[in-house]
Amino acid sequence: MSVTTVAPVPVSLPAPHALKGSTVVVIGGSSGIGLAAGELLSAAGARVVLVARDAARLEAAVARVRASGAGEVLGLPADGGDEQALERVFDQAGPIGHVLVTAGALGGGLLVDTPREQVQQAVDSRVWGAYAAARAAATRLPAGGSITLSSGTYLARPIPGVAAAIAGLGAVEGLTRALAVELAPRRVRVNTIRYGVFDTPLSRAAMGLTGDEDVATAGQASLLGRFGTAREAASASLFLMSNNYVTGTVLTVDGGASLA
Ligand SMILES: NC(=O)c1ccc[n+]([C@@H]2O[C@H](COP(=O)([O-])OP(=O)(O)OC[C@H]3O[C@@H](n4cnc5c(N)ncnc54)[C@H](OP(=O)(O)O)[C@@H]3O)[C@@H](O)[C@H]2O)c1
């Protein structure tokens, strides 16, 4: 990668208005944390491009995000692990300011019972999805732009049955540090959020929780007595996008789950 001169980066304090008018691509934006990020970004005045595979869910998410702000909201269906599809998404999105990747599943199975093919798709889509997004974004982001990836506290406190997925989380965190160094000459920042348990369709399905009461009961054992909301998870991404001096950081947002 040849790097020439870069434009000076404005020194800005982290504030939602720093994102006003900026275009943010959210890969994984039709549900959970990505959808909540879309709503917060739109409310902060950003132009939001939501990306996910299921077109119907994406359309519903676009309508929801439109209702939360005045800015333009686009929905572009694509598989985040498909590099060519992502290139098309970024071409369609136009000039971008920031990228958030929340797409990623926790495919699992016990080591001795689970052949590689069974876990490979989940690991590939997380690791190569992050890599592909970063590759597509790196040359399009301006100085001061950022890429924010997703990890989870299972990396610090593993549970049995998801070893390959946890290895994928570790790979994403490694990628974050490496790309933060590699893209620093372009003044593009790369960070990851290491999430604890947040109330989203993903966590409800993973824990077999069917309603709000189930979620509240299950969350009582957490240090703060509840699981986080998708909005609480998503707000961390706005901080990472808007603070121009944060890069190579894995920001843990877990309600203290790493401690107890
Ligand atoms: N919620 C938690 O408690 C928690 C804890 C730790 C880590 N995390 C991580 O945080 C991230 C977001 O989780 P969440 O709870 O918000 O999940 P979610 O509610 O299931 O939302 C995931 C979103 O990503 C999209 N997606 C999945 N695979 C994709 C792909 N290959 N290409 C494009 N879009 C894709 C989904 O839409 P389609 O299926 O239609 O594509 C959906 O919009 C995940 O990486 C998850 O592992 C979450």
Side-chain angles (χ1 to χ4, degrees):
M1 183 177 73
S2 74
V3 178
T4 49
T5 38
V6 290
V9 183
V11 176
S12 70
L13 292 173
H17 61 70
L19 296 166
K20 195 166 186 221
S22 187
T23 293
V24 183
V25 177
V26 184
I27 302 169
S30 70
S31 172
I33 298 167
L35 173 56
E39 292 179 301
L40 290 177
L41 287 162
S42 189
R47 176 175 173 263
V48 179
V49 180
L50 302 180
V51 181
R53 293 165 301 179
D54 184 290
R57 267 205 316 169
L58 185 61
E59 204 178 309
V62 166
R64 212 169 122 173
V65 173
R66 273 196 189 124
S68 51
E72 189 188 359
V73 186
L74 280 182
L76 300 175
D79 185 335
D82 178 339
E83 197 163 348
Q84 287 178 340
L86 273 189
E87 288 287 338
R88 285 194 293 276
V89 159
F90 282 102
D91 285 346
Q92 283 174 271
I96 56 168
H98 305 274
V99 177
L100 170 65
V101 183
T102 58
L106 265 193
L110 291 170
L111 176 70
V112 293
D113 301 333
T114 314
R116 173 179 161 164
E117 304 75 56
Q118 208 171 305
V119 291
Q120 185 154 11
Q121 207 266 334
V123 177
D124 278 0
S125 82
R126 180 177 298 280
V127 178
W128 297 113
Y131 192 81
R135 242 171 84 81
T139 51
R140 290 173 165 96
L141 284 168
S146 72
I147 300 167
T148 304
L149 306 173
S150 295
S151 175
T153 44
Y154 283 158
L155 188 56
R157 304 191 69 189
I159 57 166
V162 280
I166 289 171
L169 299 177
V172 168
E173 294 196 6
L175 192 62
T176 302
R177 292 164 55 82
L179 292 181
V181 170
E182 188 168 320
L183 299 183
R186 293 178 180 273
R187 303 296 181 256
V188 167
R189 299 173 296 106
V190 186
N191 296 292
T192 282
I193 302 170
R194 191 191 276 184
Y195 300 107
V197 183
F198 290 88
D199 179 16
T200 69
L202 177 95
S203 56
R204 284 189 181 213
M207 291 185 283
L209 306 174
T210 51
D212 293 348
E213 213 171 297
D214 268 7
V215 172
T217 306
Q220 276 168 11
S222 313
L223 193 64
L224 294 178
R226 64 176 177 88
F227 296 146
T229 64
R231 197 164 266 237
E232 287 168 328
S235 69
S237 67
L238 273 74
F239 162 73
L240 294 174
M241 289 174 207
S242 57
N243 188 317
N244 273 333
Y245 207 60
V246 183
T247 195
T249 292
V250 175
L251 178 60
T252 297
V253 184
D254 70 352
S258 313
L259 306 174

